[in-house]
Amino acid sequence: MATTKPEQGILITDAVQVVLKHWAETNALQDESLLTFEKLLTRYATFVTKLGVPALADQSEDLAAQWIQAKGRDRSGNVKLPALSTMNTRRAALRKFFRDADALNLSDTGLFVRVYVAPRPTGLARPLTKDEAERVWLYAKDSGSNTRRPVMFALLLSGVHSSEVGLITTSDVDIANQRVWAHGSTDRIEPRWVHLPDPYFAAVVDRLNYLRGWVPPFRTFETFQLTQGTTHRPAGKSQNRAASACKEVFKMAGLHNDPRITPSSVSLYAGSRMLIEGERLEVITQTLGYSSLDACAKALGYDWKTGEIG
C-alpha cells in the first residue's frame, strides 16, 4: 500500500511504484522500455528525496530540470555531462510518469516537463574511409574468436546495422554462399541477405567453430547469437553492446574525436566501398536494407549530381 502523510500526500517513491505497476498490468510499454523507465524513475525518486522534496505534490519543473541535466560518471570514474540521448530519455520518462500519475488520481499537479533538450544530431554520420575501416578492423580482429568483437565488426563492416547485429544466430549463416541473413529493424531497414568479403567471412567462420566447441549441453547450437552466445535478448541491449564496442575500437583507432563517426559509419562503409568500386546504387540499397534509393543515398551522403560521398 502506498505510504502517505496528511501534510504531503503520496510520496514520490510510492507513486513511482503505483505507476510502474499500472504500466506492467496494462502493457503500456515494451519490456525493454519498462525496465529502462523503472531504473530512471527510481533514480529520480531517490534524487528528489535526498534534496528534501519527497512528496509527489511538491515536484516541480525546476527539480525535473536538475535531474535531467545532472552529471554522472563514466566507466573510468570521470564526472561528465549526460549525453543528449540520456537527457531525452530522462525527460521522456518523467513526462509519461507525471501524465499517468495525474490520470491515476495520485496527484493533481498537472506538471508537464518542458525542460529543453537539444535535439539529437541528424545526418552527421559519414561512412568510414578505406583507411579508417582498415584501422577499425585491425583493432577489432585482434580480440580473438572467443570474444564477440571480431564477428561484430565483420558484420558491421559488411553492411549489417548495429540494431541488427545482435539478432543474427548461427543458423543465419549461409556458408556455401558466404552470406548472413540480416533481420532488419523498424520500418527503415528491411530483412535481407548480406554478402561478406573474405576476411570478414573468415571471422564469422572462426566464431562458428569457437561456438561449436563452447556450447553447453543444455543449449542448441543453431539458436546461438553470433555476438552474444544467447538468444531472446532485447534488441535495444544488442544495439547498446554494438555502440559500446564501436566506442572502444574508435578510441583505439584514433577516431573518437570525430563527431561524424558513429556506429552507423561502420555499416555505411560497405555502401561507400561498393560505390567506389562502381556498384549500382540499387544493389547497395538492397545490401544495406534501405527501403528506397533516396534513403540510401541520403545515409551515404551521396550527391547524385557530383557522385561524391559523405
Side-chain angles (χ1 to χ4, degrees):
M1 180 179 293
T3 303
T4 60
K5 295 185 178 181
E7 70 278 11
Q8 292 182 317
I10 187 171
L11 299 178
I12 184 71
T13 51
D14 296 316
V16 165
Q17 294 305 312
V18 172
V19 172
L20 288 173
K21 182 180 179 182
H22 170 71
W23 288 345
E25 291 176 345
T26 59
N27 294 317
L29 297 170
Q30 294 183 352
D31 290 345
E32 180 70 12
S33 296
L34 180 61
L35 181 61
T36 298
F37 278 23
E38 179 181 6
K39 291 179 179 178
L40 290 174
L41 292 173
T42 300
R43 291 171 185 168
Y44 173 76
T46 301
F47 177 83
V48 295
T49 299
K50 287 183 177 180
L51 289 178
V53 191
L56 175 62
D58 294 331
Q59 300 308 302
S60 66
E61 191 163 351
D62 180 61
L63 285 170
Q66 289 184 53
W67 179 72
I68 289 171
Q69 299 164 356
K71 296 179 180 179
R73 293 185 181 275
D74 60 18
R75 293 182 179 180
S76 301
N78 301 314
V79 177
K80 298 183 65 175
L81 289 170
L84 289 178
S85 58
T86 298
M87 289 192 287
N88 272 296
T89 306
R90 288 176 179 176
R91 184 178 62 179
L94 288 184
R95 281 180 172 176
K96 182 165 180 58
F97 166 71
F98 285 121
R99 182 175 65 245
D100 289 0
D102 280 356
L104 293 170
N105 296 317
L106 298 180
S107 72
D108 57 359
T109 61
L111 180 61
F112 180 77
V113 181
R114 297 179 178 83
V115 179
Y116 175 76
V117 177
R120 299 180 187 182
T122 57
L124 288 178
R126 64 166 177 82
L128 295 179
T129 65
K130 181 180 179 181
D131 175 68
E132 290 167 344
E134 288 175 350
R135 275 190 281 161
V136 164
W137 179 237
L138 175 67
Y139 287 103
K141 70 177 182 179
D142 284 345
S143 299
S145 59
N146 61 322
T147 70
R148 56 177 170 245
R149 184 175 290 173
V151 71
M152 180 179 290
F153 278 87
L155 295 170
L156 291 173
L157 287 164
S158 299
V160 177
H161 297 272
S162 61
S163 55
E164 307 173 287
V165 70
L167 304 177
I168 296 176
T169 67
T170 55
S171 59
D172 291 323
V173 181
D174 180 357
I175 296 288
N177 294 297
Q178 198 167 317
R179 61 184 185 174
V180 298
W181 178 252
H183 293 253
S185 61
T186 68
D187 296 330
R188 192 172 63 93
I189 305 299
E190 299 179 346
R192 69 222 177 269
W193 286 106
V194 176
H195 180 270
L196 278 71
D198 291 345
Y200 304 149
F201 193 70
V204 171
V205 173
D206 286 345
R207 181 65 171 172
L208 287 174
N209 291 334
Y210 170 77
L211 290 177
R212 278 196 187 92
W214 176 79
V215 60
F218 57 86
R219 294 297 305 277
T220 304
F221 172 74
E222 287 75 16
T223 62
F224 266 75
Q225 292 175 335
L226 289 178
T227 60
Q228 295 182 39
T230 185
T231 56
H232 307 304
R233 292 291 183 90
K237 288 189 176 181
S238 302
Q239 189 169 8
N240 288 340
R241 288 191 179 94
S244 297
C246 285
K247 184 177 180 180
E248 293 171 1
V249 172
F250 290 163
K251 188 171 184 178
M252 289 187 286
L255 304 175
H256 58 295
N257 289 324
D258 187 337
R260 296 190 64 198
I261 293 182
T262 72
S264 295
S265 301
V266 188
S267 304
L268 292 174
Y269 165 71
S272 66
R273 172 181 57 79
M274 294 169 71
L275 268 176
I276 292 171
E277 293 173 353
E279 188 58 82
R280 293 182 299 114
L281 189 59
E282 291 85 350
V283 175
I284 298 169
T285 299
Q286 184 176 16
T287 296
L288 296 179
Y290 287 107
S291 57
S292 70
L293 298 179
D294 286 336
C296 182
K298 182 178 180 181
L300 289 171
Y302 176 69
D303 189 315
W304 291 90
K305 294 181 179 180
T306 65
E308 295 181 352
I309 306 170

